[in-house]
Amino acid sequence: MTETTDLRAKQPRFRGLEAGHRACQGCGEALAARLVTEAAGPDVILTNATGCLEVFSTAWPQSAWRVPWLHSLFENSAAIASGVEAALKAQGRRTKVIAQGGDGGTFDIGFQALSGMLERMHNVLYVCYDNEAYMNTGIQRSSSTPHAAMTTTSPPGKARMGKRHMKKDLLSIIAAHHIPYAASASVAYPQDLRRKVRRAMEIDGPTFLLVHSPCPLGWGHDGTLTIEVARLAVQTGLFPLVELERGEVASVMPLRRPVPVAEYLQRQTRFRHLFADGDHRAREEREHLQALADYNIERYGLMGDGDDPFDSEGADTIRRGGPART
Amino acid sequence: MLEALEGSQAIARAVALCRPQVVAAYPITPQTHIVENISKLVADGRLDTQLVSVESEFSAASVVLGAAAAGSRAYTASSSQGILLMAEVLYNIAGLRLPMVLTCANRALGAPINIWNDHQDSMAVRDSGWIQLHCADNQEAVDTTIQAFRISEATDLPVMVCMDGFVLTHTLETIEMPDHKVVDKFLPPFKFARALDPRNPISLGTLVGPEYFSEIRHAQHKAMTDALETIVEVDRLWEKASGRACGGLFTVEGPADAKVGVLAMGSVVSTFREAMAELPSRKKAKLINLRAFRPFPAAALMAACEGLTDIVVVDRALSPGWGGILGGEVKAVLADMKKPPRVHNVALGLGGRDVPLEAWTAVVAEAKEPAGFRILDLEPAKLEPSDL
Amino acid sequence: MPVTMTKGAFAKAGTSLAFKTGTWRSARPVHVHAAAPCHRACPAGEDQQAWLARMQEGRPREAWESLVAANPLPAVTGRVCPHPCESACNRGKLDAPIAIHALERWLGDEAIRNGWTYPIPTGQPRKERVAVVGAGPAGLSAAYHLVRRHYNVVLFDSMPEAGGLLRSAIPPTRLPRDVLDKELSRLLALGIEFRPRTALGRDVSLDELRNEFDAVFLGVGAGKSRHWDVDGAVPADLHEGLHLLKEWLQVGALPMPKAVAIHGGGNTAVDLARVMKRAGVPEVHLITASGLPGPDTEPDDVLNVVPREFEQAVEEGVKFYPHRTINRLIMRGSKVVGVEMVRLKKLPGANGRKTRVAFEGTETVLHVDMVVPAIGEVVDPAGVEALLHGKDYFPADRFGRLDGQAGIFVGGDARAWVKGYPNGTVTAAVGDGRRAAEAIDAFLSGRAPVEEERPPIPYEALNLAYYEPSTRIELPTLALERRNDSDEIEGGPTAAQAAAEADRCFSCGNCLACDNCWTLCPDNAVIKTVETASDGSHYVFDLEYCKGCGLCAHECPCGFIAMEAEAE
């Protein structure tokens, strides 16, 4: 075999999601899943809702997973994870179960199963890779799609400016389950993401992680910009990174300097209609999204006081030899 | 030991004897008593299992799917709408080739909503890839439940044990409950070769494209047809262990020289058995009690029907616009015989309508009617004129 | 395919490796080791990024070894270089440039303190002998680099001690003599045969050297003051700046006017101004055509001094008159009583070349009783008339080669200006010596000289999201009232300060080993391997799987990864 095959085997990190998967170039979800499984380590069993992640990782007879993995349906990742967990309990095994789903499989069709899993206090970490639409079926709006975003089922036109409704505040609903730990994270902040995964892994009980994972195809940005776009989502306040303990906000990633939402929007064609010349609605909707970001900033108290090494600009700092802060 | 038990209670006890590691269920009439009894066994410390009381039948099926994939013996029960809500998962369980047992307390499907017995629910998931075994009485249901785990684990196919709602589930019968030791010997602890395990991390539930899909489906179909043999063999082994058999794929009862046959599944078989004893007909007829609906014992049934001129197939379900589902299948199978009997198809007892002993006479008489389908116990007076 | 896999269509772990997604790629990531701006700006040819990297790794000795591969005098240049590297430093656009000079000085001092020896690359001894004339920075550098190449070197100087201008014209307040002595003695101890008190043209002739040696390097400096007058007028008691400075350094003598106008914008002018001010001259004015250091001054227009020297001069009370020249001397008899200044600026003319344009109506008068020109020096032609042809400097190329003079090489202040290779500083002379050594080696080996060429790395090519603003170190400086003629004014950093300051380096154009590419590749197509990466990075791209998304290139903080189109 080639030299890299040998090197690959000697990588100083666990590989949960191996190369050779068929995600698009620059796929945020593939990256997120890679980071989550690396942080979680080998002693896990994964479940997976139907969706891009499932499709691109397991084209039979191949699989990109290096951890035991189970996919059943679109809407039952949480429920099959509950079953796996019950079985492990019955067998006296301590392997952690991680349920995975996209926003469609989590916010929408799998919502009930997720709620049930949380309510029954299964020892499962549920990870939602949030790319804010049904991407696998060709970019249809989900309840996670941001307000005013264009999808194939929320197209802009004379009568509409993209999605009419707001992005569902899933974390608050998760919080209402009073589970030990829930957090939002972003692929743009891998250290923060890993820390949150490790924190969740340590807890015996249901935990939830919402990982903002850009979809270059669905959002309309170049695959090179996946991290940049994800970072802007955080830095604008549109996707706050927060941690909830028993439903209470325990910590947030402060914004050192909130970036205007236009910076985020203009990098993505799903918001292109918000920059149409001579359309007064474009300005209105941009302001609306800015107001939503401002609302998040106020609600979660995202404005830090002074430079914080773990704020939106410090948390991804690197130095020679790796991340500056871990 | 003989005990007088309600059907559901007997099933709960039989399930407990099989030591399932995970039980997940959601209440629905007429399945509830089974789950309640299992819950009580757990509460009393008589059954050590992870009992997952889920928020829907959909999740019940999903939980046992996950549990089986993780290598645990798993059990669930449902009925009617619950079976339909499970339907998507049931196909999945079968496609993933996960062993487990489900009790279907057979009930009609709405609308109109009707909580009483017929076979429409299990028929609705006929093609899901589950083995479907029907029970004529509660002793059969108990024995079949125990056999079902063994069949399932031998074939990596899920088994649905169909027992009529209310008629069996809520009826007190004298049951011989097997001894724990007998069951433990008959049913060793579950070992699943494809269990999810970090030491051998396989992926279950992959995407299979057009280039392989037919082969995977063929493998599933072949496993189902091969299971016919397993069903017979397990029944034989159970007879050896417990002294009771359930008749393998089907039983043929009544006069050997009868030219008319009646084929039925479920509790009506018990009714017909009694009618055959109580109401000796002028017309001789055989009673074929079909136990294995899926896989369908085509070859054996053809052999059993040699010499019959007419066969009346009794359906407890209806495919609107077609007729009886079982009837259609039997007709299709027997068409391959050199001299096939005429196939008459009736539905009766839909939505819990009582099937009295006299129904036997009417069913046998149907052999004189032209071949075709009708609802035998229809009361035309209750119809609107335009429905006539 | 095992039949059992059809049972539920399960798949085995990691088998996707059979699916080579590398075929999807239309562009591939490549490591591009670009030249950091500090490196490009360094006249000595140091790769500051490279030695800062060793500092970041906590390996100061290796940092020093990397540094002295180009410049053997870090303890000196760390003190006296106007550090164009810092002006070019990309970090300056974010907050403040790395204090490279302070780190260079620290490494130089550490080397002296710890007795680190210059690393000499292994190689076969050469039998050829090379004469190096002038033991100033150019000659010392040439000798050093020739020794590194295993040549026999004889170093000639007219003075009793090596050092050239370092010793004769730089005040010890900027360059303590013990530092200079230690640096030079270690250098000479490498096996350089030093012949002091041997002046070219007086004690030895060029022809003798040509006969005795296989090659000759002339680092003779510019020892003769440039002619200065204002419209033909010259004060009777004119003293030239460098001469005054040398005299003060040698014998401590200094004129004491009431007010002096020093004309010039280099180190000599500023050093002299400070010396005179500190010696008690009430008014010291410095008139220069250049601009003062600051964000609005273009790099080619700024005062050619160490920026902090300028700041200290202002502190000490020297008055600066930038963008001005002396238009007229106001004389009373043969005595100067004042100068008339006019504002000017270097502006592009019709041919695009910048010329000085004076602005009529901006004339002002300074009342001074002394004028000192410090506008530079030219080569003293003694002994080299045959090569100079009456010119001020040797018309050598960047490698120091002179047309038609095979075997003769020139560097330092003695050579004429070459585009892209400014001279007039210690570091430029060091760079000249290094390039000349390469040219001499090439000449003696029958090959063409080469110089490493790497593409530049603009600020825009960095991904700044990964760097935090940070504070540049503050170096200890003697309080005004404590400054004298001998004590060094600026101190060096502590080890902890040096380490923290080195950590601020962006690592422009070179791998920072930050793991970003490894961490952020969605396709697991970046492999971390310190040992195998042959390009100095810690990573290799697994092109069997790399889909060419370009994420790694975009998120590389240092601009070290570029996307290169695949062949059709």
Side-chain angles (χ1 to χ4, degrees), chain B residues 26 28-32 57 77-86 102-109 115-116 121 163 165:
Chain B
Y26 185 80
I28 183 168
T29 304
Q31 155 264 34
T32 31
E57 286 90 354
S78 192
S79 182
S80 182
Q81 313 300 138
I83 294 289
L84 254 66
L85 188 54
M86 282 184 175
L102 176 154
T103 301
C104 175
N106 285 106
R107 173 188 141 181
L109 288 175
I115 61 166
W116 294 275
D121 49 4
M163 64 187 295

PDB file of all heavy atoms in Angstrom, chain B residues 26 28-32 57 77-86 102-109 115-116 121 163 165:
ATOM      1  N   TYR B  26     -45.803   0.632  24.253  1.00  0.00           N
ATOM      2  CA  TYR B  26     -46.677   1.793  24.406  1.00  0.00           C
ATOM      3  C   TYR B  26     -48.092   1.248  24.475  1.00  0.00           C
ATOM      4  O   TYR B  26     -48.430   0.327  23.734  1.00  0.00           O
ATOM      5  CB  TYR B  26     -46.511   2.703  23.181  1.00  0.00           C
ATOM      6  CG  TYR B  26     -47.268   3.994  23.265  1.00  0.00           C
ATOM      7  CD1 TYR B  26     -46.767   5.068  24.003  1.00  0.00           C
ATOM      8  CD2 TYR B  26     -48.480   4.154  22.601  1.00  0.00           C
ATOM      9  CE1 TYR B  26     -47.454   6.262  24.077  1.00  0.00           C
ATOM     10  CE2 TYR B  26     -49.175   5.343  22.677  1.00  0.00           C
ATOM     11  CZ  TYR B  26     -48.663   6.404  23.412  1.00  0.00           C
ATOM     12  OH  TYR B  26     -49.337   7.597  23.480  1.00  0.00           O
ATOM     13  N   ILE B  28     -51.877   0.273  24.058  1.00  0.00           N
ATOM     14  CA  ILE B  28     -52.991   0.365  23.112  1.00  0.00           C
ATOM     15  C   ILE B  28     -53.919  -0.815  23.386  1.00  0.00           C
ATOM     16  O   ILE B  28     -53.456  -1.938  23.592  1.00  0.00           O
ATOM     17  CB  ILE B  28     -52.507   0.377  21.635  1.00  0.00           C
ATOM     18  CG1 ILE B  28     -53.710   0.559  20.697  1.00  0.00           C
ATOM     19  CG2 ILE B  28     -51.710  -0.875  21.283  1.00  0.00           C
ATOM     20  CD1 ILE B  28     -53.336   0.865  19.253  1.00  0.00           C
ATOM     21  N   THR B  29     -55.173  -0.557  23.395  1.00  0.00           N
ATOM     22  CA  THR B  29     -56.157  -1.623  23.535  1.00  0.00           C
ATOM     23  C   THR B  29     -56.137  -2.450  22.246  1.00  0.00           C
ATOM     24  O   THR B  29     -56.087  -1.854  21.168  1.00  0.00           O
ATOM     25  CB  THR B  29     -57.568  -1.024  23.733  1.00  0.00           C
ATOM     26  OG1 THR B  29     -57.498  -0.155  24.866  1.00  0.00           O
ATOM     27  CG2 THR B  29     -58.613  -2.098  23.932  1.00  0.00           C
ATOM     28  N   PRO B  30     -56.118  -3.749  22.302  1.00  0.00           N
ATOM     29  CA  PRO B  30     -56.229  -4.640  23.470  1.00  0.00           C
ATOM     30  C   PRO B  30     -54.884  -5.247  23.905  1.00  0.00           C
ATOM     31  O   PRO B  30     -54.876  -6.315  24.508  1.00  0.00           O
ATOM     32  CB  PRO B  30     -57.151  -5.732  22.933  1.00  0.00           C
ATOM     33  CG  PRO B  30     -56.786  -5.814  21.470  1.00  0.00           C
ATOM     34  CD  PRO B  30     -56.335  -4.448  21.045  1.00  0.00           C
ATOM     35  N   GLN B  31     -53.788  -4.528  23.628  1.00  0.00           N
ATOM     36  CA  GLN B  31     -52.486  -5.062  24.013  1.00  0.00           C
ATOM     37  C   GLN B  31     -52.144  -4.727  25.453  1.00  0.00           C
ATOM     38  O   GLN B  31     -51.304  -5.359  26.063  1.00  0.00           O
ATOM     39  CB  GLN B  31     -51.428  -4.499  23.027  1.00  0.00           C
ATOM     40  CG  GLN B  31     -50.006  -4.420  23.508  1.00  0.00           C
ATOM     41  CD  GLN B  31     -49.673  -3.024  24.046  1.00  0.00           C
ATOM     42  OE1 GLN B  31     -50.508  -2.347  24.629  1.00  0.00           O
ATOM     43  NE2 GLN B  31     -48.434  -2.625  23.844  1.00  0.00           N
ATOM     44  N   THR B  32     -52.823  -3.730  26.025  1.00  0.00           N
ATOM     45  CA  THR B  32     -52.391  -3.144  27.298  1.00  0.00           C
ATOM     46  C   THR B  32     -52.149  -4.155  28.411  1.00  0.00           C
ATOM     47  O   THR B  32     -51.203  -4.025  29.170  1.00  0.00           O
ATOM     48  CB  THR B  32     -53.424  -2.119  27.818  1.00  0.00           C
ATOM     49  OG1 THR B  32     -54.712  -2.528  27.389  1.00  0.00           O
ATOM     50  CG2 THR B  32     -53.108  -0.745  27.288  1.00  0.00           C
ATOM     51  N   GLU B  57     -45.673   4.000  19.847  1.00  0.00           N
ATOM     52  CA  GLU B  57     -45.324   2.694  19.300  1.00  0.00           C
ATOM     53  C   GLU B  57     -44.118   2.810  18.372  1.00  0.00           C
ATOM     54  O   GLU B  57     -43.304   1.904  18.261  1.00  0.00           O
ATOM     55  CB  GLU B  57     -46.483   2.091  18.506  1.00  0.00           C
ATOM     56  CG  GLU B  57     -47.617   1.564  19.348  1.00  0.00           C
ATOM     57  CD  GLU B  57     -48.665   2.615  19.616  1.00  0.00           C
ATOM     58  OE1 GLU B  57     -48.440   3.791  19.243  1.00  0.00           O
ATOM     59  OE2 GLU B  57     -49.718   2.268  20.205  1.00  0.00           O
ATOM     60  N   ALA B  77     -44.847  -5.319  22.164  1.00  0.00           N
ATOM     61  CA  ALA B  77     -46.199  -5.759  21.814  1.00  0.00           C
ATOM     62  C   ALA B  77     -46.997  -4.554  21.397  1.00  0.00           C
ATOM     63  O   ALA B  77     -46.776  -3.442  21.902  1.00  0.00           O
ATOM     64  CB  ALA B  77     -46.869  -6.422  23.033  1.00  0.00           C
ATOM     65  N   SER B  78     -47.927  -4.815  20.454  1.00  0.00           N
ATOM     66  CA  SER B  78     -48.787  -3.704  20.062  1.00  0.00           C
ATOM     67  C   SER B  78     -50.031  -4.243  19.386  1.00  0.00           C
ATOM     68  O   SER B  78     -50.328  -5.444  19.466  1.00  0.00           O
ATOM     69  CB  SER B  78     -48.042  -2.722  19.150  1.00  0.00           C
ATOM     70  OG  SER B  78     -48.796  -1.542  19.013  1.00  0.00           O
ATOM     71  N   SER B  79     -50.685  -3.331  18.696  1.00  0.00           N
ATOM     72  CA  SER B  79     -51.971  -3.682  18.131  1.00  0.00           C
ATOM     73  C   SER B  79     -52.396  -2.576  17.184  1.00  0.00           C
ATOM     74  O   SER B  79     -52.000  -1.417  17.359  1.00  0.00           O
ATOM     75  CB  SER B  79     -52.979  -3.799  19.284  1.00  0.00           C
ATOM     76  OG  SER B  79     -54.234  -4.182  18.777  1.00  0.00           O
ATOM     77  N   SER B  80     -53.166  -2.954  16.178  1.00  0.00           N
ATOM     78  CA  SER B  80     -53.924  -1.991  15.372  1.00  0.00           C
ATOM     79  C   SER B  80     -53.134  -0.763  14.925  1.00  0.00           C
ATOM     80  O   SER B  80     -52.097  -0.884  14.278  1.00  0.00           O
ATOM     81  CB  SER B  80     -55.154  -1.567  16.186  1.00  0.00           C
ATOM     82  OG  SER B  80     -55.961  -0.678  15.463  1.00  0.00           O
ATOM     83  N   GLN B  81     -53.592   0.425  15.337  1.00  0.00           N
ATOM     84  CA  GLN B  81     -52.936   1.674  14.921  1.00  0.00           C
ATOM     85  C   GLN B  81     -51.475   1.681  15.365  1.00  0.00           C
ATOM     86  O   GLN B  81     -50.624   2.257  14.700  1.00  0.00           O
ATOM     87  CB  GLN B  81     -53.648   2.896  15.531  1.00  0.00           C
ATOM     88  CG  GLN B  81     -55.162   2.889  15.403  1.00  0.00           C
ATOM     89  CD  GLN B  81     -55.640   2.864  13.975  1.00  0.00           C
ATOM     90  OE1 GLN B  81     -56.579   2.151  13.639  1.00  0.00           O
ATOM     91  NE2 GLN B  81     -54.989   3.617  13.128  1.00  0.00           N
ATOM     92  N   GLY B  82     -51.247   1.053  16.471  1.00  0.00           N
ATOM     93  CA  GLY B  82     -49.877   0.973  16.984  1.00  0.00           C
ATOM     94  C   GLY B  82     -48.978   0.222  16.030  1.00  0.00           C
ATOM     95  O   GLY B  82     -47.826   0.613  15.790  1.00  0.00           O
ATOM     96  N   ILE B  83     -49.523  -0.855  15.463  1.00  0.00           N
ATOM     97  CA  ILE B  83     -48.738  -1.616  14.487  1.00  0.00           C
ATOM     98  C   ILE B  83     -48.459  -0.734  13.265  1.00  0.00           C
ATOM     99  O   ILE B  83     -47.356  -0.731  12.717  1.00  0.00           O
ATOM    100  CB  ILE B  83     -49.498  -2.903  14.065  1.00  0.00           C
ATOM    101  CG1 ILE B  83     -49.615  -3.864  15.253  1.00  0.00           C
ATOM    102  CG2 ILE B  83     -48.833  -3.568  12.873  1.00  0.00           C
ATOM    103  CD1 ILE B  83     -48.327  -4.534  15.678  1.00  0.00           C
ATOM    104  N   LEU B  84     -49.480   0.041  12.881  1.00  0.00           N
ATOM    105  CA  LEU B  84     -49.260   0.913  11.724  1.00  0.00           C
ATOM    106  C   LEU B  84     -48.254   2.006  12.023  1.00  0.00           C
ATOM    107  O   LEU B  84     -47.444   2.371  11.176  1.00  0.00           O
ATOM    108  CB  LEU B  84     -50.593   1.524  11.260  1.00  0.00           C
ATOM    109  CG  LEU B  84     -51.070   0.869   9.958  1.00  0.00           C
ATOM    110  CD1 LEU B  84     -51.415  -0.592  10.227  1.00  0.00           C
ATOM    111  CD2 LEU B  84     -52.228   1.605   9.341  1.00  0.00           C
ATOM    112  N   LEU B  85     -48.297   2.543  13.243  1.00  0.00           N
ATOM    113  CA  LEU B  85     -47.319   3.574  13.586  1.00  0.00           C
ATOM    114  C   LEU B  85     -45.919   2.970  13.621  1.00  0.00           C
ATOM    115  O   LEU B  85     -44.931   3.633  13.341  1.00  0.00           O
ATOM    116  CB  LEU B  85     -47.673   4.218  14.932  1.00  0.00           C
ATOM    117  CG  LEU B  85     -46.852   5.446  15.326  1.00  0.00           C
ATOM    118  CD1 LEU B  85     -46.887   6.513  14.246  1.00  0.00           C
ATOM    119  CD2 LEU B  85     -47.361   6.034  16.640  1.00  0.00           C
ATOM    120  N   MET B  86     -45.845   1.698  13.926  1.00  0.00           N
ATOM    121  CA  MET B  86     -44.564   0.984  13.941  1.00  0.00           C
ATOM    122  C   MET B  86     -44.104   0.592  12.541  1.00  0.00           C
ATOM    123  O   MET B  86     -42.951   0.191  12.367  1.00  0.00           O
ATOM    124  CB  MET B  86     -44.701  -0.330  14.726  1.00  0.00           C
ATOM    125  CG  MET B  86     -44.702  -0.216  16.208  1.00  0.00           C
ATOM    126  SD  MET B  86     -44.740  -1.904  16.884  1.00  0.00           S
ATOM    127  CE  MET B  86     -44.590  -1.548  18.624  1.00  0.00           C
ATOM    128  N   LEU B 102     -42.458  -9.798  18.712  1.00  0.00           N
ATOM    129  CA  LEU B 102     -43.515  -8.819  18.928  1.00  0.00           C
ATOM    130  C   LEU B 102     -44.826  -9.579  19.020  1.00  0.00           C
ATOM    131  O   LEU B 102     -45.097 -10.450  18.200  1.00  0.00           O
ATOM    132  CB  LEU B 102     -43.551  -7.822  17.764  1.00  0.00           C
ATOM    133  CG  LEU B 102     -44.648  -6.739  17.719  1.00  0.00           C
ATOM    134  CD1 LEU B 102     -44.133  -5.543  16.922  1.00  0.00           C
ATOM    135  CD2 LEU B 102     -45.961  -7.207  17.100  1.00  0.00           C
ATOM    136  N   THR B 103     -45.613  -9.251  20.033  1.00  0.00           N
ATOM    137  CA  THR B 103     -46.963  -9.812  20.093  1.00  0.00           C
ATOM    138  C   THR B 103     -47.910  -8.796  19.489  1.00  0.00           C
ATOM    139  O   THR B 103     -47.939  -7.643  19.926  1.00  0.00           O
ATOM    140  CB  THR B 103     -47.381 -10.099  21.544  1.00  0.00           C
ATOM    141  OG1 THR B 103     -46.460 -11.017  22.111  1.00  0.00           O
ATOM    142  CG2 THR B 103     -48.789 -10.692  21.578  1.00  0.00           C
ATOM    143  N   CYS B 104     -48.644  -9.253  18.481  1.00  0.00           N
ATOM    144  CA  CYS B 104     -49.674  -8.392  17.911  1.00  0.00           C
ATOM    145  C   CYS B 104     -51.026  -8.870  18.430  1.00  0.00           C
ATOM    146  O   CYS B 104     -51.471  -9.970  18.116  1.00  0.00           O
ATOM    147  CB  CYS B 104     -49.642  -8.453  16.381  1.00  0.00           C
ATOM    148  SG  CYS B 104     -50.982  -7.519  15.628  1.00  0.00           S
ATOM    149  N   ALA B 105     -51.627  -8.054  19.295  1.00  0.00           N
ATOM    150  CA  ALA B 105     -52.982  -8.350  19.756  1.00  0.00           C
ATOM    151  C   ALA B 105     -53.912  -7.870  18.654  1.00  0.00           C
ATOM    152  O   ALA B 105     -54.291  -6.697  18.609  1.00  0.00           O
ATOM    153  CB  ALA B 105     -53.243  -7.636  21.077  1.00  0.00           C
ATOM    154  N   ASN B 106     -54.252  -8.768  17.744  1.00  0.00           N
ATOM    155  CA  ASN B 106     -54.903  -8.359  16.500  1.00  0.00           C
ATOM    156  C   ASN B 106     -56.186  -7.573  16.725  1.00  0.00           C
ATOM    157  O   ASN B 106     -57.052  -7.958  17.494  1.00  0.00           O
ATOM    158  CB  ASN B 106     -55.222  -9.585  15.641  1.00  0.00           C
ATOM    159  CG  ASN B 106     -53.978 -10.142  14.980  1.00  0.00           C
ATOM    160  OD1 ASN B 106     -53.458 -11.175  15.378  1.00  0.00           O
ATOM    161  ND2 ASN B 106     -53.501  -9.429  13.979  1.00  0.00           N
ATOM    162  N   ARG B 107     -56.237  -6.455  15.986  1.00  0.00           N
ATOM    163  CA  ARG B 107     -57.379  -5.549  16.128  1.00  0.00           C
ATOM    164  C   ARG B 107     -57.615  -4.856  14.792  1.00  0.00           C
ATOM    165  O   ARG B 107     -56.695  -4.688  13.994  1.00  0.00           O
ATOM    166  CB  ARG B 107     -57.060  -4.530  17.233  1.00  0.00           C
ATOM    167  CG  ARG B 107     -58.071  -3.433  17.367  1.00  0.00           C
ATOM    168  CD  ARG B 107     -57.609  -2.349  18.354  1.00  0.00           C
ATOM    169  NE  ARG B 107     -57.979  -1.037  17.870  1.00  0.00           N
ATOM    170  CZ  ARG B 107     -57.705   0.109  18.473  1.00  0.00           C
ATOM    171  NH1 ARG B 107     -57.018   0.107  19.605  1.00  0.00           N
ATOM    172  NH2 ARG B 107     -58.092   1.251  17.956  1.00  0.00           N
ATOM    173  N   ALA B 108     -58.834  -4.439  14.600  1.00  0.00           N
ATOM    174  CA  ALA B 108     -59.199  -3.733  13.369  1.00  0.00           C
ATOM    175  C   ALA B 108     -58.469  -2.402  13.278  1.00  0.00           C
ATOM    176  O   ALA B 108     -57.942  -1.892  14.266  1.00  0.00           O
ATOM    177  CB  ALA B 108     -60.714  -3.494  13.348  1.00  0.00           C
ATOM    178  N   LEU B 109     -58.444  -1.867  12.061  1.00  0.00           N
ATOM    179  CA  LEU B 109     -57.834  -0.559  11.838  1.00  0.00           C
ATOM    180  C   LEU B 109     -58.913   0.462  11.511  1.00  0.00           C
ATOM    181  O   LEU B 109     -59.902   0.143  10.853  1.00  0.00           O
ATOM    182  CB  LEU B 109     -56.869  -0.617  10.659  1.00  0.00           C
ATOM    183  CG  LEU B 109     -55.549  -1.356  10.881  1.00  0.00           C
ATOM    184  CD1 LEU B 109     -54.786  -1.424   9.574  1.00  0.00           C
ATOM    185  CD2 LEU B 109     -54.711  -0.647  11.942  1.00  0.00           C
ATOM    186  N   ILE B 115     -62.070  -0.920  18.281  1.00  0.00           N
ATOM    187  CA  ILE B 115     -60.996  -1.485  19.112  1.00  0.00           C
ATOM    188  C   ILE B 115     -61.033  -3.007  19.134  1.00  0.00           C
ATOM    189  O   ILE B 115     -60.230  -3.641  19.809  1.00  0.00           O
ATOM    190  CB  ILE B 115     -61.081  -0.969  20.571  1.00  0.00           C
ATOM    191  CG1 ILE B 115     -62.407  -1.375  21.227  1.00  0.00           C
ATOM    192  CG2 ILE B 115     -60.854   0.536  20.624  1.00  0.00           C
ATOM    193  CD1 ILE B 115     -62.399  -1.198  22.750  1.00  0.00           C
ATOM    194  N   TRP B 116     -62.007  -3.603  18.343  1.00  0.00           N
ATOM    195  CA  TRP B 116     -62.191  -5.047  18.483  1.00  0.00           C
ATOM    196  C   TRP B 116     -61.410  -5.832  17.443  1.00  0.00           C
ATOM    197  O   TRP B 116     -60.772  -5.277  16.561  1.00  0.00           O
ATOM    198  CB  TRP B 116     -63.694  -5.351  18.448  1.00  0.00           C
ATOM    199  CG  TRP B 116     -64.347  -4.747  19.675  1.00  0.00           C
ATOM    200  CD1 TRP B 116     -64.423  -5.321  20.901  1.00  0.00           C
ATOM    201  CD2 TRP B 116     -64.972  -3.465  19.776  1.00  0.00           C
ATOM    202  NE1 TRP B 116     -65.058  -4.490  21.791  1.00  0.00           N
ATOM    203  CE2 TRP B 116     -65.408  -3.328  21.128  1.00  0.00           C
ATOM    204  CE3 TRP B 116     -65.213  -2.405  18.895  1.00  0.00           C
ATOM    205  CZ2 TRP B 116     -66.067  -2.200  21.595  1.00  0.00           C
ATOM    206  CZ3 TRP B 116     -65.870  -1.297  19.363  1.00  0.00           C
ATOM    207  CH2 TRP B 116     -66.298  -1.188  20.688  1.00  0.00           C
ATOM    208  N   ASP B 121     -54.603  -5.387  11.092  1.00  0.00           N
ATOM    209  CA  ASP B 121     -53.341  -4.764  11.488  1.00  0.00           C
ATOM    210  C   ASP B 121     -52.122  -5.583  11.048  1.00  0.00           C
ATOM    211  O   ASP B 121     -51.209  -5.066  10.394  1.00  0.00           O
ATOM    212  CB  ASP B 121     -53.308  -4.454  12.997  1.00  0.00           C
ATOM    213  CG  ASP B 121     -53.731  -5.621  13.869  1.00  0.00           C
ATOM    214  OD1 ASP B 121     -53.979  -6.721  13.320  1.00  0.00           O
ATOM    215  OD2 ASP B 121     -53.796  -5.441  15.103  1.00  0.00           O
ATOM    216  N   MET B 163     -52.108 -12.864  17.979  1.00  0.00           N
ATOM    217  CA  MET B 163     -53.186 -13.454  18.781  1.00  0.00           C
ATOM    218  C   MET B 163     -54.350 -12.474  18.801  1.00  0.00           C
ATOM    219  O   MET B 163     -54.169 -11.258  18.924  1.00  0.00           O
ATOM    220  CB  MET B 163     -52.714 -13.797  20.190  1.00  0.00           C
ATOM    221  CG  MET B 163     -52.290 -12.614  21.028  1.00  0.00           C
ATOM    222  SD  MET B 163     -51.545 -13.109  22.607  1.00  0.00           S
ATOM    223  CE  MET B 163     -52.923 -13.879  23.431  1.00  0.00           C
ATOM    224  N   GLY B 165     -57.156 -10.054  19.492  1.00  0.00           N
ATOM    225  CA  GLY B 165     -57.447  -9.143  20.588  1.00  0.00           C
ATOM    226  C   GLY B 165     -58.758  -9.502  21.255  1.00  0.00           C
ATOM    227  O   GLY B 165     -59.699  -9.950  20.594  1.00  0.00           O
TER     228      GLY B 165
END
